């Protein structure tokens, strides 16, 4: 069993662009070493948007050195990037962007969602890449709800949706550079689940809704991040009320982390290079 280490509290809500009221759960300036390979987690709790006409979201911006994973729970997002990819993700869908050597993209609410209004809920996780992949070719994966396998837990305890990695033999669709488990876990009140996770991996979960007990010893409330010891082979979670969690687990990358804005590299010089390359158009551009 991985020992429960501690709870990390999220920051107050701030707006990313005009579309995403997020709490910073953690970022590369506070917990990146401890939570490696995970660099940043923003969570936009359910927020009701009135019908509107203007686009809501974040305009064209670059990334390098990382992957950004957006898990949509409610509402609908639309994406376009410099690779020529585009698409919508709605409730239950996941968008997995490999920025690696460089990508430019925009992240907006879909036109339909903006027009009709509604509740938006999403999480965005940034995953680090080891130095040898930081200049790899950029890529884009979209997983619609139906492509993400859902494991029903015994005794109707709930479900584990496997976005990446493997849960008791069920594999998630995401291609990752390093071993990573990313699971969307739903538990009914008073039910519990055993989550086997590799010894040596960083393990943490965010409670999106409800409240749970970690390893039968520590209460974790909605909005809290529970962090576990790397040593050990799994954790248990018991729901006190109907609960939803985002479980993240991965092999740590033992390299320096230097981040600024949308770039996370291994040195200050590489960050300066990233800004230079972006300025000179070397990360491409959005199609018209
Ligand atoms: Mn972005």
């Amino acid at each position: 069993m991985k020992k429960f280490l501690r709870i990390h509290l999220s920051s107050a809500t701030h707006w990313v662009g005009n579309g995403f009221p997020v709490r910073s759960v953690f970022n590369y300036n506070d917990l990146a070493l401890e939570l490696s390979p995970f660099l940043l987690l923003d969570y936009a709790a359910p927020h009701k948007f009135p019908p509107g006409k203007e686009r809501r979201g974040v305009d064209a911006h670059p990334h390098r050195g990382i992957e950004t994973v957006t898990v949509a729970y409610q509402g609908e997002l639309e994406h376009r990037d410099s690779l020529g990819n585009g698409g919508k993700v709605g409730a239950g869908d996941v968008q997995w962007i490999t920025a690696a050597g460089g990508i430019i993209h925009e992240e907006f609410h879909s036109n339909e969602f903006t027009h009709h209004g509604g509740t938006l809920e999403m999480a965005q996780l940034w995953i680090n890449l080891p130095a040898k992949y930081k200049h790899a070719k950029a890529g884009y994966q979209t997983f619609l709800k139906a492509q993400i396998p859902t494991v029903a837990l015994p005794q109707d305890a709930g479900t584990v949706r496997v976005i990446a990695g493997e849960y008791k033999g069920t594999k998630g669709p995401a291609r990752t550079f390093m071993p990573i488990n990313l699971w969307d876990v739903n538990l009914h009140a008073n039910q519990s689940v055993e989550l086997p996770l590799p010894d040596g991996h960083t393990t943490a979960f965010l409670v999106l809704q409800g409240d749970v007990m970690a390893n039968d010893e520590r209460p974790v409330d909605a909005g809290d991040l529970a962090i576990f010891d790397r040593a050990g082979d799994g954790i248990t979670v018991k729901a006190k009320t109907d609960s939803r969690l985002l479980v993240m687990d991965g092999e740590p990358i033992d390299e320096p982390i230097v981040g600024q804005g949308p770039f996370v590299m291994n040195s200050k010089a590489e960050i300066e290079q990233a800004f230079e390359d972006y300025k000179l158009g070397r990360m491409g551009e959005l199609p018209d």
Side-chain angles (χ1 to χ4, degrees), residues 58-59 61-63 68 97 105-107 124 126 262:
V58 191
D59 223 331
H61 61 278
H63 289 290
T68 71
I97 293 171
H105 74 156
E106 56 178 30
E107 299 163 273
Q124 187 169 88
W126 293 15

Coordinates of all heavy atoms in Angstrom, one line a residue, residues 58-59 61-63 68 97 105-107 124 126 262, ligand 1:
V58 N -9.7 30.8 -24.8 CA -8.3 31.3 -24.8 C -7.8 31.3 -26.3 O -7.9 30.3 -27.0 CB -7.3 30.3 -24.0 CG1 -6.0 31.0 -23.8 CG2 -8.0 30.0 -22.7
D59 N -7.3 32.5 -26.7 CA -6.9 32.7 -28.1 C -5.6 31.9 -28.3 O -5.0 31.3 -27.4 CB -6.7 34.2 -28.3 CG -7.2 34.6 -29.6 OD1 -7.2 33.8 -30.5 OD2 -7.6 35.8 -29.7
H61 N -2.1 30.4 -28.6 CA -0.9 30.4 -27.8 C -0.1 29.1 -28.0 O -0.7 28.1 -28.4 CB -1.3 30.6 -26.3 CG -2.2 29.4 -25.8 ND1 -3.5 29.4 -26.0 CD2 -1.8 28.3 -25.1 CE1 -4.0 28.3 -25.4 NE2 -3.0 27.6 -24.9
P62 N 1.2 29.2 -27.7 CA 2.0 28.1 -27.9 C 2.2 27.2 -26.7 O 1.8 27.5 -25.6 CB 3.4 28.7 -28.2 CG 3.4 29.9 -27.3 CD 1.9 30.4 -27.2
H63 N 2.7 26.0 -26.9 CA 3.2 25.1 -25.8 C 4.5 24.4 -26.4 O 4.6 24.2 -27.6 CB 2.2 24.1 -25.4 CG 1.0 24.6 -24.7 ND1 1.1 25.1 -23.4 CD2 -0.3 24.7 -25.0 CE1 -0.1 25.5 -23.0 NE2 -0.9 25.3 -24.0
T68 N -0.6 18.4 -22.9 CA -1.7 19.0 -22.1 C -3.0 18.1 -22.4 O -3.3 17.7 -23.5 CB -2.1 20.4 -22.5 OG1 -2.7 20.5 -23.8 CG2 -0.8 21.3 -22.5
I97 N -3.1 16.5 -26.1 CA -2.2 17.3 -27.0 C -0.8 17.1 -26.6 O -0.4 17.3 -25.5 CB -2.6 18.8 -27.0 CG1 -4.0 18.9 -27.6 CG2 -1.6 19.6 -27.8 CD1 -4.5 20.3 -27.4
H105 N -2.1 26.6 -30.4 CA -3.5 26.2 -30.4 C -4.4 27.2 -29.8 O -3.9 28.1 -29.1 CB -3.8 24.8 -29.9 CG -3.7 24.7 -28.4 ND1 -4.3 23.7 -27.6 CD2 -3.1 25.5 -27.5 CE1 -4.0 23.9 -26.4 NE2 -3.3 24.9 -26.2
E106 N -5.7 27.1 -30.0 CA -6.7 27.9 -29.3 C -7.7 27.0 -28.7 O -7.9 25.9 -29.1 CB -7.4 28.9 -30.3 CG -8.1 28.2 -31.4 CD -8.8 29.1 -32.4 OE1 -8.4 30.3 -32.5 OE2 -9.8 28.7 -33.0
E107 N -8.2 27.4 -27.5 CA -9.2 26.6 -26.8 C -10.4 27.4 -26.4 O -10.3 28.4 -25.7 CB -8.5 26.1 -25.5 CG -7.2 25.3 -25.7 CD -6.3 25.2 -24.5 OE1 -5.5 26.0 -24.3 OE2 -6.5 24.2 -23.8
Q124 N -7.8 20.4 -16.7 CA -6.6 20.3 -17.7 C -5.4 19.9 -16.9 O -5.0 20.6 -15.9 CB -6.4 21.6 -18.4 CG -5.3 21.4 -19.5 CD -5.3 22.5 -20.5 OE1 -4.6 23.5 -20.3 NE2 -6.0 22.4 -21.6
W126 N -1.3 19.0 -17.2 CA 0.0 19.1 -18.0 C 0.9 18.0 -17.5 O 1.2 17.9 -16.3 CB 0.7 20.4 -17.8 CG -0.1 21.6 -18.4 CD1 -1.4 21.7 -18.7 CD2 0.5 22.9 -18.6 NE1 -1.7 22.9 -19.2 CE2 -0.6 23.7 -19.1 CE3 1.7 23.5 -18.4 CZ2 -0.4 25.1 -19.5 CZ3 1.9 24.8 -18.8 CH2 0.8 25.6 -19.3
P262 N 3.7 29.0 -21.0 CA 3.3 27.8 -21.7 C 4.4 26.8 -22.0 O 4.1 25.7 -22.6 CB 2.7 28.3 -23.0 CG 3.5 29.5 -23.3 CD 3.9 30.1 -22.0
Ligands
LIG1 MN1 -3.1 25.6 -24.1

